[in-house]
Every structure is written in structure tokens, then in C-alpha cells.
Amino acid sequence: MILLQRGRKILTAFVLILVLTISTACSSGNVAQLDRTTNQPAIGTTTAYAELERGNTPTGQTFGDWVVQSSKGLIRDAYVRDNNKLGVVISPQVRPNEVRDLAKSLAQGFRKNFPNQDLTVLVYAPDKKLILTTKYDVQTNKIEYNA
């Protein structure tokens, strides 16, 4: 039984890494800009919370949307700030020992879409409490984890 659970955890982490890697590799290095020619409703009227909070730039908004859509339910919400900070709220499906692998995959995809800068990935539990901070240093090309 324990072997089955461990295999499931490893398989889940591997599938997520594979999905994020393939998706970012196929995105030609930059997140495509959405056509935003339609009039957006004023803030506070009918705009959903997620539409406002996914990013504070069009590219960040698009990347945040992509992260949630491509995660296959592992990420409930995401936001991008200033094109160098990504915050994600994970679902209860993500096991504690899978969080670091998920953060690493997100940092790699984030780096490909927002190159040549230091990046931060903040991982929040389903109750929205910060559980892991991941920092990518562009000069050393290393990722540092802080719980």
C-alpha cells in the first residue's frame, strides 16, 4: 500500500513537470498576448476576482491564466506581479512532498517566459497560507528554497 502511494506521488509530480515543460517549450519563449480589444467592465461591477488578480500586466495575466489552466487541477489560483513574481495557491491534491518539485517546475516555466531577471515563486496552501518561497537567481542560474 505504501509503495502504491509513493508511486502515485512520484507519478503526479512527474506528470506535472512534463506538462509544464512541454507547454512552455511549445510556447515559443513568450506567452502570446490575448486580443483585448473588447471593452472590459469597470472594476467592481461584473468582473470576476480571478480576472483582476491573475496579473498586473497583460503578459502576466496571460501567464497566470495559463498556469491555472494547464495544471490539471493541481493549482487553484495564480497571479503574476511585475513580471518577476508568481504566486500560486495549490489544491489539496498536491502532497507536501510534491510542493518543492512543483515550485521548481513553475520557476523553470516562469523563467522561460520572463527571461533575464531574478524571479520569485510563492506557493500557498489551499488555505492561502504561504508554505514555500522559491527564488531563481539569473546570474548563478540556481534556485533557492525557503520554507
Side-chain angles (χ1 to χ4, degrees):
M1 184 71 172
I2 293 173
L3 183 61
L4 182 63
Q5 289 175 341
R6 181 171 285 165
R8 181 178 160 242
K9 291 176 186 178
I10 291 170
L11 182 62
T12 302
F14 179 72
V15 168
L16 181 61
I17 291 169
L18 184 64
V19 166
L20 289 172
T21 302
I22 290 172
S23 298
T24 55
C26 295
S27 70
S28 73
N30 289 322
V31 176
Q33 295 291 329
L34 294 175
D35 180 17
R36 299 196 187 270
T37 56
T38 60
N39 291 336
Q40 297 291 327
I43 294 174
T45 56
T46 59
T47 304
Y49 166 81
E51 287 182 45
L52 295 173
E53 294 299 322
R54 290 276 161 83
N56 64 351
T57 65
T59 306
Q61 177 84 22
T62 303
F63 188 75
D65 289 339
W66 174 83
V67 166
V68 173
Q69 291 170 0
S70 65
S71 72
K72 302 201 185 285
L74 296 177
I75 296 174
R76 284 185 169 175
D77 198 6
Y79 68 87
V80 176
R81 295 292 179 264
D82 304 324
N83 292 338
N84 66 0
K85 185 181 288 183
L86 170 65
V88 296
V89 178
I90 59 174
S91 73
Q93 295 172 331
V94 179
R95 304 280 183 228
N97 63 341
E98 298 170 338
V99 172
R100 192 175 226 177
D101 290 335
L102 175 61
K104 181 178 181 181
S105 296
L106 289 167
Q108 290 171 340
F110 198 35
R111 183 185 75 198
K112 288 180 182 175
N113 286 283
F114 300 94
N116 304 321
Q117 59 182 326
D118 293 338
L119 303 170
T120 302
V121 176
L122 304 167
V123 180
Y124 295 89
D127 64 358
K128 298 186 180 170
K129 294 197 189 284
L130 182 64
I131 56 174
L132 182 66
T133 301
T134 306
K135 294 188 180 241
Y136 167 74
D137 185 331
V138 71
Q139 291 181 336
T140 62
N141 196 30
K142 293 196 180 198
I143 296 175
E144 178 183 314
Y145 303 94
N146 295 314

